[in-house]
Amino acid sequence: MFRLKVKEEEHKIIKDRLNVVETPNYDYVLTDDKDLVENDKINIVFNQADIPKVSKLLDVIVRGEDLYLVGSNEFGQKHIECRNFYYFIVEDEDVYGILNNTKLLIKLKLYEVDELLKVKDFIRISKYCLVNIGKIAYIKPELNSKLNLLMKNDDHVEVNRGYYKEFKKALKI
Amino acid sequence: MEFLINNPFIAFTIFIIIGFSTYMLTKLIDEIVLNKALKLKHQQMRISTVVKGLKSRITGLTLATLVPMSIVVAFVVIGINPTIDQDNDLLSISTGSDVLSIYEDFNEKLAVNTNNWYDNGLLDFQLEGGIVDTALPFDSITYRTTATSDLTNTYTGGTGSEDYSETNNQVIGVDEMDNVLTDGKFIYTMYGNKIQITFAGIMVDDEFDASLLSLYKTFEYSNEVCDEEQFYPEGMYVDGDHFIVIGNQYNYNCEDYEYPDDDSGENIIPQVYYSWWGYRSSSISVLVYDIANDFELKDEYSLNGYLSGTRKIGDSLYLVTKNSIPFNDEEMVLDDYLPTYEVNGIEVSAKYEDIIYIDGTSPNSFTTFYGIDLSTTQVNMEVILGDSGYNLYVSNDNMYLVGRTYYFWPMMDFFDVEDPVYESKTAILKVAIGNGNVEYKTLGLVEGYMLNQFSMDEYNGYLRVTTTEGWGDETNNRLYVLDEDLKVVSMLENLGKPREQIKSTRFVGNYAYLVTFEQIDPFYVINLTNPNYPVVEGELIIPGYSAYLQPLGEDYILGIGYGDNYGGTNGLKIAIFDVSDKSNPVILGEEAIFDYSEFGWASSTAVYNHKDLLISVEKGLIALPFSTSSWVVTDGYTYDSGILVYNFDFTDGLSYSGFVKHEEGSEEDVYVYKSKFISEYFYTVSNKYIKVSTLELVEEILYSVELNEEE
């Protein structure tokens, strides 16, 4: 998404301070030298003194627009920003969104949630489960060729064989 | 691979383990790749990554992958190069059953999948069923003394010459037993079961009077018909006080049988048949005669077993004996084979708790080192359960007995191995000696086999040895330097040209002289001044080869061996190597060659028995037995046997002096086997005569005495 164009010797330090990952296909050029801007890209020219601000700006860019889902539990209805969900799961034909300590009943079909959240780095891992890549703590390949995902809330979910390729693609392996 | 084919279960297990480990390895790689990708993805998403339990997870997985893999690797490594304990630990023995269990354990290892362990040649005794009576009574040796009466009082009072030839010993000060000796006054000879003492002469007005040559005394041991205890002298020692005879006392089964004298069958001659197959046991007798007291028997020592070797240093006599243990005989009583000695009738047996066993050596016999203080009759013994070896070297301070030690495949009870012996090495057993004491020190190990006692030499605390391993293209000749603990300090290997074997070695101080041979004879000079870095300093390539090397001082080496006039080995060759320039050894003067094509087949025992060689550097004298035989249709075989005499000096080398024969073209082989000198007189000894000439004119016989006359 980003390309950082600074002096060679400063490249690593600035990259770390901006917490930026460079990709071959990028939309944004980040530079402290206005002569290095690229015409067909979005250029952010910054002073090194403003790196904290630029970093926050990049957070916003990556995060994109907030997207809220409505769910309910015994305490009533909630509007939750989608990235807070760890995963979505189908239980008895109902879709639940799993948060850190609780789960909310979502009045949508799982494929509808999938459609909505594709751009937000959610990935389908089985017919009954959609997972937030950002909330995966560890991936453990099982002996039966499935993947066991340890979520940051210590829940375990399983990537089925049929979704294995898609999952790897989402991680860009 | 052969091992795996022989062990399908092991092969299957290894296959499963390799399969499992490979699978686990792919999982591990997969897991690392996936989580690395996840981390990168999180970075792109600008999310801090919390990876839970990664370390323990990876550790667990790595272990799961590597442990079985390591087992397989260890297996393969052990298979290719097993780490076998080569410490050769001493195992303690306290009872006879310990000896039996050591033997059984060794034999069990040896017998694994070997139909006939006997064929391995490791256990070299062949006494199965041979021994009937194991009890060993030490019978006093009976002998008749025949004195030439009119000489007894006349000559024993005089003094002999102080200038006489001693045995050609390997080590100065370490006397080796021999069959002909002189002390400057008497000449001692052995024949069959007889010892004969010939009066050689005494000093009269500062001149040695050789004209008095006469037979003085004969000890004839056990010549009674069908005497079941036969004593045969094996060798003698003489010093100023003692005349010592060492021999074996064999116990036979004796049977009478009748032999028809002619075809008619009427003239029956009773004969005695000594049954070798029915022999019972043997003991070694050491008879010490007091010279001053007209050869009166002073002390008699008996040792059970067989004589492996002996040396004498001053008043101390050292012997190595072997008592083979017939483990296969079910009725065998081990106690009967315990080394036992008797001094003047008092018997002492070894105790089990004093016996040493060195792990890996062949526990087929008791090998005993005896130290006898002749002045006090004190006897010390060190008993080792193990093979008595094949080569004995004795320095002034230590005895070195060379045998083999065996290393077996580990876990061979579990595996199906074709040859249970993984490796065998030459084992050098070191026993410290001094003042009649003997004490086991240590065991050293080297590769290959040793040729003879000259393959070893102790100098400044270091033991130097030469060995040859293998044959043909695989031959490897090595020279080792070992420290006092017999740990290898340094080694030279691949000495000689390809395929050559060591034919002779002689160590002289800081130098080793080595002859290897296959087609030609390289004579090597090896500098051992720095025991850590032996170096080949010089080399001389000549046809033929020397089978025995004798130092003539520091700078010259006499070589006796094989060579002919055509570059081959069909003859006897005598040469002196000038090694004054160690880097450039050369032949001094001319070689003496006795080509078979001129002399007929000829031989000299000096080639393999250094004690048959007479050397005097002071007198410039070399004398050695030389024997040829020829076949003439009318006469049958005739023998020409005598002593070949050469003079030498360090300018011109060898010069021929003469060939001393006792009978010309004799029909029977009057074999002249020894020569000695006393003052300026030259004594040659055959089975029939002692003849005297002078060193100046060796062929001109002045006096003669007949030995072994038929009565």
Side-chain angles (χ1 to χ4, degrees):
Chain A
M1 184 174 234
F2 298 109
R3 183 167 177 211
L4 181 63
K5 292 174 89 172
V6 291
K7 281 179 200 158
E8 185 69 37
E9 61 271 23
E10 292 177 326
H11 187 272
K12 190 176 181 309
I13 300 166
I14 295 172
K15 189 180 167 187
D16 286 349
R17 289 182 66 194
L18 286 173
N19 188 25
V20 71
V21 175
E22 291 182 280
T23 53
N25 300 317
Y26 53 93
D27 301 318
Y28 296 87
V29 173
L30 311 171
T31 181
D32 57 358
D33 182 352
K34 63 178 188 292
D35 293 339
L36 296 176
V37 297
E38 293 179 26
N39 287 335
D40 54 343
K41 305 287 180 190
I42 303 162
N43 294 282
I44 300 171
V45 183
F46 58 90
N47 282 326
Q48 289 200 12
D50 294 328
I51 282 176
K53 287 181 192 166
V54 177
S55 184
K56 277 182 186 165
L57 176 64
L58 297 184
D59 284 346
V60 172
I61 290 169
V62 169
R63 193 180 164 88
E65 288 176 26
D66 285 351
L67 180 63
Y68 289 87
L69 286 183
V70 180
S72 60
N73 63 5
E74 63 269 38
F75 304 109
Q77 212 172 53
K78 314 258 177 207
H79 286 250
I80 305 290
E81 207 289 314
C82 67
R83 283 187 194 78
N84 293 319
F85 286 99
Y86 285 72
Y87 56 97
F88 294 91
I89 194 158
V90 178
E91 286 176 1
D92 299 332
E93 299 191 356
D94 293 325
V95 175
Y96 292 92
I98 311 296
L99 295 159
N100 190 24
N101 295 317
T102 184
K103 61 180 185 182
L104 300 176
L105 177 65
I106 310 290
K107 295 279 183 167
L108 289 170
K109 298 290 181 196
L110 190 65
Y111 71 88
E112 291 170 334
V113 182
D114 190 5
E115 282 298 312
L116 272 173
L117 301 184
K118 238 176 204 164
V119 291
K120 299 292 180 188
D121 291 313
F122 279 74
I123 174 81
R124 193 73 175 265
I125 60 166
S126 71
K127 204 174 167 185
Y128 309 103
C129 190
L130 178 74
V131 76
N132 181 355
I133 294 174
K135 294 290 185 188
I136 301 172
Y138 193 77
I139 305 165
K140 196 163 89 177
E142 297 285 3
L143 295 175
N144 55 9
S145 301
K146 291 180 179 178
L147 296 176
N148 188 320
L149 305 182
L150 171 65
M151 306 307 292
K152 288 181 178 175
N153 65 349
D154 289 338
D155 281 0
H156 286 270
V157 289
E158 211 167 58
V159 181
N160 273 359
R161 272 191 287 270
Y163 296 85
Y164 188 89
K165 269 191 182 167
E166 279 299 308
F167 180 80
K168 282 173 84 170
K169 209 167 139 191
L171 293 180
K172 296 196 175 74
I173 297 171
Chain B
M1 191 48 73
E2 197 181 328
F3 168 78
L4 292 177
I5 292 166
N6 287 338
N7 295 273
F9 176 71
I10 307 274
F12 180 72
T13 310
I14 290 177
F15 177 74
I16 295 290
I17 290 174
I18 289 176
F20 175 74
S21 287
T22 312
Y23 178 72
M24 288 307 289
L25 189 67
T26 54
K27 287 277 164 208
L28 177 69
I29 292 167
D30 227 13
E31 189 160 332
I32 291 168
V33 170
L34 280 166
N35 284 287
K36 213 173 159 189
L38 179 67
K39 193 178 172 191
L40 195 67
K41 180 74 183 172
H42 283 180
Q43 277 175 347
Q44 282 176 359
M45 293 165 71
R46 301 178 70 81
I47 296 167
S48 62
T49 312
V50 184
V51 181
K52 290 185 175 180
L54 175 66
K55 217 171 168 182
S56 58
R57 173 75 191 159
I58 297 295
T59 310
L61 264 179
T62 309
L63 282 177
T65 308
L66 293 186
V67 167
M69 209 67 131
S70 314
I71 291 171
V72 172
V73 169
F75 228 83
V76 171
V77 168
I78 287 175
I80 294 166
N81 185 21
T83 50
I84 295 171
D85 177 23
Q86 298 197 347
D87 284 346
N88 296 97
D89 298 326
L90 289 184
L91 301 188
S92 64
I93 293 171
S94 49
T95 62
S97 58
D98 291 343
V99 174
L100 294 175
S101 65
I102 284 170
Y103 171 79
E104 270 160 26
D105 182 46
F106 186 90
N107 201 26
E108 228 170 68
K109 285 176 185 168
L110 207 56
V112 167
N113 302 312
T114 310
N115 292 333
N116 186 1
W117 52 262
Y118 217 79
D119 290 343
N120 272 3
L122 300 187
L123 301 183
D124 58 1
F125 61 88
Q126 302 195 5
L127 295 177
E128 197 170 5
I131 286 191
V132 181
D133 175 12
T134 56
L136 190 69
F138 290 119
D139 297 313
S140 260
I141 294 165
T142 53
Y143 62 91
R144 291 185 305 156
T145 307
T146 319
T148 315
S149 56
D150 57 336
L151 285 173
T152 310
N153 299 321
T154 316
Y155 301 120
T156 46
T159 51
S161 170
E162 284 179 5
D163 180 22
Y164 59 88
S165 54
E166 296 180 349
T167 307
N168 185 25
N169 298 316
Q170 179 184 6
V171 179
I172 295 167
V174 181
D175 203 6
E176 296 176 37
M177 181 173 82
D178 203 6
N179 55 3
V180 175
L181 302 172
T182 181
D183 54 7
K185 183 173 174 182
F186 296 103
I187 294 172
Y188 306 85
T189 52
M190 277 166 43
Y191 184 73
N193 63 352
K194 272 194 283 193
I195 295 276
Q196 287 180 303
I197 303 171
T198 302
F199 188 79
I202 47 170
M203 299 300 287
V204 178
D205 300 330
D206 290 339
E207 293 274 322
F208 187 74
D209 185 357
S211 67
L212 303 170
L213 183 76
S214 50
L215 187 63
Y216 179 64
K217 210 178 267 286
T218 300
F219 296 142
E220 193 164 5
Y221 302 98
S222 315
N223 72 338
E224 299 299 320
V225 172
C226 214
D227 190 338
E228 293 197 358
E229 284 123 27
Q230 298 276 341
F231 177 78
Y232 288 97
E234 293 284 320
M236 307 173 290
Y237 289 105
V238 69
D239 59 26
D241 306 318
H242 306 115
F243 170 57
I244 300 154
V245 178
I246 298 176
N248 280 311
Q249 192 175 357
Y250 295 105
N251 294 1
Y252 296 97
N253 283 345
C254 182
E255 293 160 22
D256 292 329
Y257 75 107
E258 292 178 337
Y259 180 75
D261 187 38
D262 53 26
D263 291 340
S264 69
E266 286 173 5
N267 299 322
I268 301 292
I269 300 172
Q271 296 280 324
V272 172
Y273 171 68
Y274 293 106
S275 165
W276 277 92
W277 290 109
Y279 79 97
R280 301 212 302 269
S281 55
S282 162
S283 65
I284 301 143
S285 288
V286 177
L287 308 173
V288 182
Y289 296 94
D290 185 359
I291 297 176
N293 209 0
D294 196 25
F295 296 97
E296 193 183 70
L297 183 64
K298 185 173 161 240
D299 296 306
E300 185 176 350
Y301 304 83
S302 289
L303 321 166
N304 67 352
Y306 295 85
L307 185 65
S308 290
T310 163
R311 296 288 192 280
K312 181 175 169 289
I313 302 172
D315 264 350
S316 303
L317 181 67
Y318 299 98
L319 299 107
V320 185
T321 66
K322 174 180 179 169
N323 296 67
S324 296
I325 312 168
F327 286 103
N328 289 351
D329 183 353
E330 284 176 8
E331 290 171 16
M332 186 267 291
V333 179
L334 191 62
D335 288 1
D336 292 341
Y337 294 89
L338 270 182
T340 304
Y341 65 86
E342 190 187 278
V343 185
N344 299 327
I346 299 163
E347 192 178 309
V348 179
S349 263
K351 296 185 184 74
Y352 284 110
E353 56 265 35
D354 296 334
I355 296 174
I356 291 168
Y357 174 67
I358 305 147
D359 203 9
T361 55
S362 223
N364 60 12
S365 23
F366 291 121
T367 296
T368 312
F369 293 81
Y370 287 99
I372 300 176
D373 186 335
L374 296 169
S375 56
T376 62
T377 69
Q378 180 78 36
V379 179
N380 291 293
M381 72 199 298
E382 182 80 286
V383 185
I384 286 151
L385 175 64
D387 189 37
S388 67
Y390 64 91
N391 191 13
L392 177 71
Y393 163 73
V394 183
S395 71
N396 278 287
D397 305 312
N398 296 293
M399 299 177 96
Y400 297 93
L401 185 67
V402 178
R404 299 294 288 173
T405 184
Y406 302 93
Y407 302 101
F408 299 100
W409 285 94
M411 300 181 284
M412 60 185 205
D413 290 346
F414 184 65
F415 299 146
D416 183 11
V417 289
E418 225 159 68
D419 183 356
V421 177
Y422 160 65
E423 191 183 15
S424 90
K425 285 187 173 180
T426 284
I428 309 167
L429 197 72
K430 180 178 182 178
V431 173
I433 53 172
N435 299 324
N437 292 311
V438 281
E439 188 193 353
Y440 168 76
K441 282 290 171 196
T442 187
L443 187 87
L445 298 170
V446 293
E447 309 276 352
Y449 280 86
M450 285 186 210
L451 184 66
N452 54 32
Q453 69 190 72
F454 295 98
S455 304
M456 286 182 280
D457 181 76
E458 190 190 271
Y459 187 68
N460 288 345
Y462 291 96
L463 180 74
R464 294 91 60 91
V465 304
T466 57
T467 65
T468 296
E469 188 186 16
W471 61 283
D473 292 331
E474 305 295 315
T475 309
N476 191 353
N477 301 311
R478 297 185 178 92
L479 183 146
Y480 289 91
V481 181
L482 298 103
D483 63 14
E484 284 184 350
D485 300 322
L486 297 189
K487 299 277 179 255
V488 174
V489 174
S490 58
M491 181 188 65
L492 280 177
E493 61 179 337
N494 295 314
L495 292 164
K497 309 281 177 275
R499 303 176 63 87
E500 287 184 348
Q501 307 255 333
I502 290 176
K503 291 292 182 186
S504 55
T505 309
R506 195 73 194 238
F507 293 92
V508 185
N510 278 326
Y511 285 88
Y513 303 96
L514 187 76
V515 169
T516 60
F517 180 78
E518 210 249 341
Q519 290 290 330
I520 45 162
D521 165 9
F523 171 88
Y524 292 101
V525 182
I526 300 167
N527 187 340
L528 299 168
T529 309
N530 183 345
N532 297 308
Y533 299 101
V535 281
V536 176
E537 202 166 297
E539 183 181 334
L540 172 66
I541 296 176
I542 48 168
Y545 68 89
S546 301
Y548 175 69
L549 297 174
Q550 166 89 34
L552 306 171
E554 290 274 309
D555 291 335
Y556 299 90
I557 302 285
L558 172 72
I560 299 175
Y562 302 96
D564 58 32
N565 296 324
Y566 311 100
T569 55
N570 296 314
L572 176 73
K573 189 185 82 165
I574 307 165
I576 295 178
F577 298 90
D578 177 352
V579 289
S580 49
D581 178 359
K582 305 291 183 207
S583 60
N584 184 29
V586 290
I587 294 286
L588 177 70
E590 298 268 313
E591 293 177 312
I593 289 173
F594 295 86
D595 198 311
Y596 294 165
S597 62
E598 294 166 23
F599 288 85
W601 188 86
S603 67
S604 175
T605 52
V607 165
Y608 54 84
N609 183 2
H610 58 285
K611 291 181 285 188
D612 284 351
L613 179 68
L614 171 66
I615 290 282
S616 171
V617 177
E618 294 77 24
K619 293 185 191 300
L621 175 70
I622 296 169
L624 63 160
F626 182 71
S627 174
T628 64
S629 61
S630 45
W631 168 261
V632 181
V633 180
T634 47
D635 304 335
Y637 273 109
T638 57
Y639 298 90
D640 266 324
S641 132
I643 298 288
L644 198 56
V645 187
Y646 274 85
N647 292 121
F648 68 90
D649 61 54
F650 296 137
T651 316
D652 300 324
L654 293 166
S655 57
Y656 179 77
S657 172
F659 184 51
V660 185
K661 287 188 274 191
H662 282 194
E663 275 185 15
E664 196 83 34
S666 172
E667 282 184 22
E668 57 173 320
D669 188 8
V670 181
Y671 178 55
V672 194
Y673 60 96
K674 216 76 163 188
S675 55
K676 295 279 172 190
F677 70 80
I678 301 174
S679 291
E680 68 276 22
Y681 292 97
F682 187 62
Y683 292 82
T684 47
V685 182
S686 66
N687 49 358
K688 219 169 166 186
Y689 307 99
I690 295 178
K691 295 199 175 194
V692 191
S693 54
T694 58
L695 291 170
E696 197 90 354
L697 296 164
V698 290
E699 290 182 4
E700 201 170 299
I701 302 297
L702 301 175
Y703 314 105
S704 173
V705 64
E706 195 162 347
L707 303 172
N708 310 309
E709 271 181 293
E710 295 293 328
E711 288 173 19

